[in-house]
Amino acid sequence: MAAIAARNNRWPVALAAVLIVYLGAAGLLFSLLPVKDGERDWFAPLVPGGWMAWSFPTAMFFLTIFALLSLMAVWEYARPGGNPRVGILRFEATRGDRLFVSLLGSAFIHLAWLGLVGANLWWAVALSVIYAVGVFRYV
């Protein structure tokens, strides 16, 4: 019992570590942004001549998914179990399942937004966050 209490008291340290690493990596990516005509070029490759055109949005996308997976690990560490439940889709889903459904649905929201509206994706991001909240609440 004491081991569980000690573990549950240490989860804020793990949470802070994940957030600090995320913010540090995002800051590093921001500092690597090339400057073109006195302004930051958000879509230029971060590594000129590299084998893959890692732009800032692409790198932030993968960094955010890594952070989400890390935050899920901290959540599981703080409150083990996750108690699978049956939601409106009528299948048993754990926290990880709900994260996967959220990410998959967000990808489709962004693809639909690109096809129907255009390249300004800020409203698609907002819609994806609302969708993810709904998935975690009702699925």
Side-chain angles (χ1 to χ4, degrees):
M1 186 67 166
I4 293 173
R7 182 179 64 196
N8 284 339
N9 290 335
R10 289 193 310 245
W11 71 265
V13 175
L15 176 64
V18 168
L19 295 177
I20 288 169
V21 167
Y22 178 76
L23 292 174
L28 177 65
L29 287 173
F30 182 77
S31 71
L32 292 175
L33 277 171
V35 177
K36 182 178 174 184
D37 297 329
E39 293 188 15
R40 297 198 184 272
D41 189 359
W42 295 97
F43 301 103
L46 294 174
V47 181
W51 68 275
M52 185 174 172
W54 280 94
S55 64
F56 181 77
T58 304
M60 283 302 297
F61 172 78
F62 286 106
L63 180 64
T64 301
I65 290 194
F66 175 75
L68 286 171
L69 291 172
S70 300
L71 289 170
M72 291 292 289
V74 170
W75 190 3
E76 185 65 26
Y77 180 72
R79 301 210 188 269
N83 297 334
R85 65 174 193 246
V86 177
I88 61 172
L89 296 179
R90 308 307 310 155
F91 66 86
E92 191 175 85
T94 64
R95 293 176 189 151
D97 297 331
R98 291 189 288 274
L99 177 64
F100 177 75
V101 170
S102 297
L103 291 173
L104 189 63
S106 295
F108 285 117
I109 289 169
H110 279 77
L111 287 173
W113 192 275
L114 281 171
L116 299 173
V117 177
N120 187 2
L121 294 174
W122 290 110
W123 287 106
V125 170
L127 190 59
S128 295
V129 168
I130 293 168
Y131 171 75
V133 168
V135 167
F136 270 87
R137 176 88 175 133
Y138 300 111
V139 173

